[in-house]
Amino acid sequence: MPAFTEAFTDTHDFKTQLSDSAQAAFVAEGFDAAAGRVNASDRPDLADFQCNGALAVAKAAKANPREVAGKIVSHFTDDARLSKLEIAGPGFLNFTLSDDALSARANVLAGDARLGAPKVAQQRKIIIDFGGPNVAKPMHVGHLRTAVIGESLKRILRFLGDEVMGDAHFGDWGYQMGLLIVAVSDEQPDLPYFDADFTGDYPTDAPVSLDDLERLYPLASNKGKADEAYRDRAKKATRELQQGRKGYRALWQHFVTVSRTALIRDYGALSVEFDWWKGESDADPFIEGMIADLKAKGLLEPDQGAQIVRVAKPDDKKDVPPLLVVSSEGSSMYGTTDLATIVQRKTEYQPDLTLYIVDQRQSDHFEQVFRAAYLAGYAHEGQLEHAANGTVNGTDGKPFKTRDGGTLKLHDLISQAEEKATARLHEAGLGEGLSEAAFADTAHKVAIAALKFAELSNHRLTNYIFDLDRFMSFEGKTGPYLLYQAVRMKSILRKAVDQGVAAGVITVGEVAERELVLLLDGFDNALKETYLKRAPNILADHVYKLAQGFSKFYAACPVLVGDDAGVKASRLALVRLTLRQLELGLDLMGLSAPEQM
RNA sequence: GCACCCAUAGCUCAGCUGGAUAGAGCGUUGCCCUCCGAAGGCAAAGGUCAGAGGUUCGAAUCCUCUUGGGUGCGCCA
């Protein structure tokens, strides 16, 4: 199995270019190449890029950092990319790009179908596991997190060249299924599903609606906690379901189908798409063989009536409990299905990497499962990764609740956001010329952008506060701001067509133009960082800054208003380039901009 | 009890493998539509980066401790 370095290719941004040159210079002077790392400047008033390597290297070499910096500078004489290279303070290298270099870069980007995005050096097969929503539990705001972050990561990894499969990984196989079976049998005992001697065909229509499931699940769950006899019945039903009792399987199939319909609706509204709608139950056929294999490898041992795999290591700082593979009831646990799913994926897909986009509260669980998988040889060390996310809290800092104390269903949240967006559109007197369908589409895009961008702009581990009013304000650093800038650009492009102005060669002159091109150039690095850290907030930040950079440019540099045809053509080309990168960035976040808003 | 995560402006959050004057948005106070869409732009005020030590030429960032939050710890997922 190859070791993957997560390196990139097709990368031509200035940060990389200058780093390459600076590294060569440091090496030529007998220093470590790592010192040549060039970053965007902390002081944009002084320079575009900086390198701090001279300070780092000087100490070991017992040299004066400014002298070291001087030696590096000598390697850049007559570098056409730079208009200025200065040594500042204790030994910072300050690079300022020439307008010509920026113009050239802008024109390259304008001709690049990938808008400056890099590619992975080595393609991998990656599964993104969305840590599935559960059957019968309605999606709530907490599910936004995983869905939105996972979808964005999926799109980004795929765009950079990996083969990526998103798997919903439905929670459809545990104790909760037993609970539901018992709950339905109590309410509708005459259904054929419960008659063990029934030999006919089971009804094709579901005996329960989505509302029934959402009502029954919490009811049964609470009963199971309070009533031991009830719990035992549910456990028995769970085991019988897993062992293949026909009536239970048929009833269970209805649960899954009914739930999945609602999930498809909600995920669809969020533009979250799965390549696989698999669930825990799909791993079931692999469990028997896996258990035999674990036994053969001497990893499985009986303990307190259950079958476990010990995964603790001698140097553990904490107690890592064993993974429970078979419960004392004889049924599979979520650890069982998670491990069996790894076996299944290895058998059916051979992924190089599996990313679990799941709440950080499950980190111990994944640690156990991953260790067991590594021990059993179902995956190689490092191929399983828990890209944890934080929890969503309300304005009181506690897990999000509505004002009346209930949980807000995702479906209702989306509806509220759409209503708000609709109201805002009417208020601004916009979209009146649009057809009803186009208007609704715009309102939907605005609403989704608000929700998703709010998710994506936080780091995935942040336990952030979900404040509906703030998210719906549509002003400042929000999704609608991004869409608004895109719409402004589209408006310019439409006007340009009317006026017969065509895009031409980009020539950078004004400060706002320089800054915009520097931002466009930064797309490459933003994508790399996002990829390496599995952190879409880095991309979100880039896209926001790009939109902001455009808005400043828009205010400072009229595109279609002047007399100079060359300037018009250049600025128009810059607008078009910016729009293309903005829309690509939006798409990688799972968003899209309307024509008008 | 043990372990993990977190603490940055009034509020919500960024801050890359340590580097110059810690950044956004909201809110507050001023400006800016006879000019491509004001869901916008410009400017100002606002921070002992929880506290204390340590490493370092240099720390919000790395290490230790303290305080204060959150989370998890074999038969629910």
Side-chain angles (χ1 to χ4, degrees):
Chain A
M1 185 55 62
F4 289 91
T5 54
E6 304 203 330
F8 299 93
T9 182
D10 283 1
T11 175
H12 306 292
D13 61 319
F14 284 119
K15 179 182 152 77
T16 306
Q17 282 188 42
L18 295 174
S19 290
D20 289 347
S21 301
Q23 279 169 14
F26 274 97
V27 169
E29 295 295 337
F31 299 115
D32 188 358
R37 186 164 47 91
V38 171
N39 287 320
S41 179
D42 288 337
R43 295 286 304 272
D45 53 321
L46 300 180
D48 299 323
F49 292 90
Q50 65 180 339
C51 172
N52 307 330
L55 286 87
V57 137
K59 191 195 167 193
K62 295 196 172 102
N64 178 327
R66 287 189 66 100
E67 279 174 23
V68 174
K71 289 182 184 171
I72 303 306
V73 168
S74 69
H75 290 264
F76 284 89
T77 45
D78 301 327
D79 191 317
R81 293 171 298 188
L82 306 176
S83 66
K84 210 164 53 172
L85 174 53
E86 293 180 327
I87 303 168
F92 300 109
L93 286 167
N94 279 342
F95 298 82
T96 303
L97 296 170
S98 68
D99 285 354
D100 284 348
L102 280 169
S103 301
R105 177 71 178 143
N107 288 307
V108 167
L109 288 173
D112 180 5
R114 293 177 60 78
L115 287 318
K119 280 186 185 156
V120 290
Q122 191 172 12
Q123 184 187 55
R124 295 190 288 182
K125 289 166 80 171
I126 298 177
I127 293 174
I128 293 191
D129 186 316
F130 285 72
N134 291 321
V135 166
K137 288 190 200 169
M139 303 236 300
H140 54 84
V141 289
H143 290 103
L144 262 181
R145 213 75 210 278
T146 285
V148 169
I149 292 171
E151 176 67 18
S152 181
L153 282 174
K154 186 186 80 186
R155 291 179 185 219
I156 292 161
L157 303 196
R158 189 174 282 165
F159 182 67
L160 295 198
D162 285 323
E163 182 182 305
V164 189
M165 291 294 161
D167 183 8
H169 200 64
F170 239 172
D172 63 359
W173 205 232
Y175 170 64
Q176 55 185 339
M177 295 300 104
L179 281 171
L180 277 176
I181 290 169
V182 170
V184 174
S185 77
D186 283 355
E187 262 192 12
Q188 306 180 60
D190 296 334
L191 289 174
Y193 306 101
F194 309 114
D195 179 359
D197 300 324
F198 184 78
T199 51
D201 291 334
Y202 294 103
T204 49
D205 288 339
V208 286
S209 66
L210 182 66
D211 286 342
D212 289 329
L213 290 179
E214 292 181 359
R215 174 176 54 81
L216 286 173
Y217 179 71
L219 195 111
S221 177
N222 289 331
K223 252 189 192 168
K225 280 174 202 158
D227 180 347
E228 199 173 332
Y230 193 88
R231 182 164 61 237
D232 287 344
R233 287 174 61 208
K235 282 184 177 172
K236 181 160 178 274
T238 306
R239 188 174 63 248
E240 288 179 345
L241 169 72
Q242 294 179 348
Q243 288 171 350
R245 179 165 163 171
K246 274 186 71 184
Y248 286 2
R249 289 279 179 133
L251 179 58
W252 166 84
Q253 191 57 55
H254 286 306
F255 295 162
V256 169
T257 305
V258 167
S259 298
R260 187 172 302 187
T261 305
L263 289 171
I264 288 173
R265 176 196 65 185
D266 290 348
Y267 279 119
L270 291 169
S271 303
V272 173
E273 295 149 10
F274 301 115
D275 303 289
W276 295 335
W277 277 91
K278 298 205 181 209
E280 294 170 345
S281 60
D282 291 296
D284 187 64
F286 292 83
I287 289 176
E288 199 182 323
M290 179 183 81
I291 288 172
D293 181 63
L294 291 172
K295 226 173 249 172
K297 286 173 175 155
L299 292 168
L300 202 66
E301 52 183 280
D303 187 81
Q304 297 171 39
Q307 302 279 322
I308 62 167
V309 173
R310 295 197 188 277
V311 295
K313 296 178 183 174
D315 56 344
D316 280 338
K317 280 200 259 177
K318 57 175 172 181
D319 285 341
V320 181
L323 184 77
L324 229 123
V325 180
V326 183
S327 80
S328 52
E329 302 285 325
S331 53
S332 8
M333 312 291 296
Y334 72 134
T336 319
T337 48
D338 278 355
L339 191 60
T341 299
I342 293 169
V343 173
Q344 179 191 10
R345 288 170 178 167
K346 181 182 161 67
T347 308
E348 297 177 350
Y349 188 68
Q350 299 93 40
D352 297 302
L353 177 69
T354 303
L355 287 179
Y356 293 81
I357 316 296
V358 182
D359 196 299
Q360 61 182 339
R361 285 175 290 189
Q362 292 196 39
S363 61
D364 286 353
H365 166 68
F366 283 116
E367 181 68 38
Q368 291 170 262
V369 173
F370 294 174
R371 285 186 185 193
Y374 295 147
L375 280 173
Y378 301 152
H380 293 271
E381 191 81 31
Q383 289 191 314
L384 304 169
E385 189 179 316
H386 180 201
N389 46 254
T391 48
V392 181
N393 294 327
T395 44
D396 56 358
K398 293 177 182 164
F400 184 82
K401 301 276 187 213
T402 53
R403 285 195 181 83
D404 57 16
T407 52
L408 180 59
K409 286 187 207 168
L410 188 55
H411 182 64
D412 296 333
L413 173 62
I414 293 169
S415 302
Q416 281 185 29
E418 286 173 344
E419 281 166 28
K420 193 97 179 181
T422 302
R424 187 73 180 83
L425 283 167
H426 284 310
E427 190 183 304
L430 293 171
E432 279 156 359
L434 295 175
S435 69
E436 201 174 316
F439 185 93
D441 180 60
T442 299
H444 178 75
K445 281 176 173 157
V446 169
I448 294 302
L451 289 176
K452 293 182 79 171
F453 186 74
E455 286 286 348
L456 289 169
S457 56
N458 289 332
H459 183 88
R460 63 179 160 78
L461 272 172
T462 302
N463 298 325
Y464 81 102
I465 293 183
F466 187 91
D467 181 348
L468 194 59
D469 293 334
R470 190 161 56 81
F471 287 3
M472 293 295 111
S473 73
F474 300 167
E475 276 161 26
K477 189 174 180 179
T478 63
Y481 174 91
L482 304 181
L483 303 193
Y484 180 65
Q485 301 312 331
V487 163
R488 282 168 129 187
M489 293 180 218
K490 291 183 183 193
S491 176
I492 289 177
L493 296 184
R494 279 195 302 268
K495 284 202 165 62
V497 171
D498 294 343
Q499 297 177 15
V501 179
V505 174
I506 298 172
T507 307
V508 169
E510 296 294 319
V511 175
E513 293 174 321
R514 282 191 113 255
E515 289 176 355
L516 186 52
V517 173
L518 279 168
L519 285 165
L520 288 160
D521 179 59
F523 188 44
D524 180 294
N525 192 245
L527 285 171
K528 284 184 202 160
E529 293 290 326
T530 302
Y531 183 100
L532 292 172
K533 291 178 180 157
R534 293 79 161 103
N537 68 300
I538 296 169
L539 174 65
D541 191 55
H542 170 79
V543 174
Y544 174 67
K545 284 194 173 126
L546 182 68
Q548 210 177 26
F550 167 76
S551 197
K552 289 180 184 187
F553 161 83
Y554 183 85
C557 303
V559 177
L560 300 173
V561 179
D563 296 323
D564 189 321
V567 170
K568 277 190 190 178
S570 166
R571 289 182 178 168
L572 186 62
L574 193 50
V575 171
R576 197 162 76 174
L577 167 60
T578 306
L579 175 62
R580 285 169 63 211
Q581 195 184 86
L582 176 59
E583 290 207 289
L584 173 56
L586 287 172
D587 183 61
L588 294 177
M589 292 191 286
L591 301 176
S592 64
E595 290 305 306
Q596 300 173 41
M597 64 183 274

